[in-house]
Amino acid sequence: MTAAYGRILLKLSGEALMGDDAYGINPAMLASIVAEVKSVADLGVEIGVVIGGGNIFRGVAGTATGMDRATADYMGMLATVMNAMALSDAMRQAGLNGRVQSALNIEQVVEPYIRGKAIRYLEEGKIVIFAAGTGNPFFTTDTAAALRGSEIGAEIVLKATKVDGIYTADPKQDPLATRFARISFDEAIGRDLKVLDSTAFALCRDQKLPINVFSIFKPGALKRIVMGEDEGTLVHV
């Protein structure tokens, strides 16, 4: 079996780790995600992962209680480090070799982000988990995924969500809504589709880095995308 992509950047939200729980990390969901990643790693695909922290702390929500936005965002970055460590440990238990690199320096806990070292790890078959977003407040982990994907030379950004692609309307509200198999960046902009946040979307468009939006809850979806099958929605130049 030959994969359609040799190097990918997987964007996981913190909420993906929650499963049916109200907050925190659901062990069964974590194990399921790792199994999906392993099925792709076993094909020889090089994998980078950017993970969010919304299941532990949602940075922007802190402003609702009067917290300074920058402070809230830094707290959110620390939450992503916690998620990255949990994901790395679950990978170890599954026989995968994961490395966590953080945009914030916490060297007693995880490695600092160094682009050259990250690329070397990928070439060695290790999975690199990028934590702490971009290391700057006011930038989301979507932007971190677009940035890290561009830096490591990923061929595609795979955004894992709860929905199996981009639809013409909200499928929960409109039973006639249909999924786009493919859509161009320009058309996505014209239709005002919320693929990634605007900064991340613009970066992917400018770098000609395609995006696939898919459901991480759909068994085998990640592998089908990597194999070039019709899964999720491909956003392309």
Side-chain angles (χ1 to χ4, degrees):
M1 298 175 69
T2 302
Y5 303 101
R7 181 177 293 176
I8 65 172
L9 192 290
L10 175 63
K11 167 60 171 64
L12 284 173
S13 67
E15 288 82 353
L17 303 182
M18 289 166 49
D20 294 327
D21 296 344
Y23 59 88
I25 299 173
N26 182 292
M29 192 64 224
L30 181 61
S32 174
I33 291 172
V34 169
E36 294 291 318
V37 172
K38 187 176 188 303
S39 71
V40 172
D42 288 345
L43 297 173
V45 177
E46 298 173 1
I47 307 168
V49 181
V50 167
I51 193 163
N55 58 315
I56 297 175
F57 184 90
R58 189 178 298 276
V60 178
T63 59
T65 58
M67 184 181 292
D68 175 75
R69 168 65 189 272
T71 299
D73 280 358
Y74 279 119
M75 291 174 68
M77 291 178 216
L78 295 176
T80 72
V81 175
M82 296 169 66
N83 280 340
M85 293 174 66
L87 183 60
S88 175
D89 186 69
M91 287 180 176
R92 177 187 59 79
Q93 296 180 47
L96 294 174
N97 196 341
R99 289 287 188 274
V100 179
Q101 290 197 344
S102 169
L104 297 178
N105 287 330
I106 321 174
E107 293 189 43
Q108 293 90 337
V109 181
V110 292
E111 296 181 26
Y113 169 66
I114 300 174
R115 176 177 176 268
K117 183 178 285 188
I119 292 173
R120 186 171 75 247
Y121 282 155
L122 292 170
E123 292 172 344
E124 291 171 350
K126 298 178 176 69
I127 297 170
V128 184
I129 307 167
F130 300 105
T134 67
N136 303 286
F138 309 108
F139 290 94
T140 69
T141 49
D142 274 355
T143 300
L147 178 62
R148 297 292 181 248
S150 299
E151 288 182 303
I152 66 172
E155 296 167 34
I156 191 169
V157 170
L158 305 180
K159 182 172 182 179
T161 69
K162 295 180 179 180
V163 184
D164 64 341
I166 302 171
Y167 281 75
T168 53
D170 187 343
K172 293 181 179 179
Q173 299 179 3
D174 184 356
L176 298 179
T178 57
R179 176 180 64 88
F180 292 103
R182 300 170 62 93
I183 189 170
S184 69
F185 280 98
D186 290 341
E187 186 177 357
I189 292 171
R191 289 176 174 266
D192 194 28
L193 299 175
K194 308 301 181 184
V195 182
L196 300 174
D197 74 71
S198 57
T199 303
F201 189 81
L203 179 55
C204 286
R205 180 193 61 196
D206 293 347
Q207 294 300 314
K208 297 180 174 56
L209 179 60
I211 306 162
N212 189 297
V213 180
F214 74 105
S215 173
I216 192 64
F217 299 102
K218 190 174 179 181
L222 178 60
K223 184 176 181 178
R224 285 192 291 274
I225 293 170
V226 170
M227 295 304 297
E229 298 178 21
D230 177 21
E231 185 67 55
T233 298
L234 178 68
V235 186
H236 59 93
V237 177

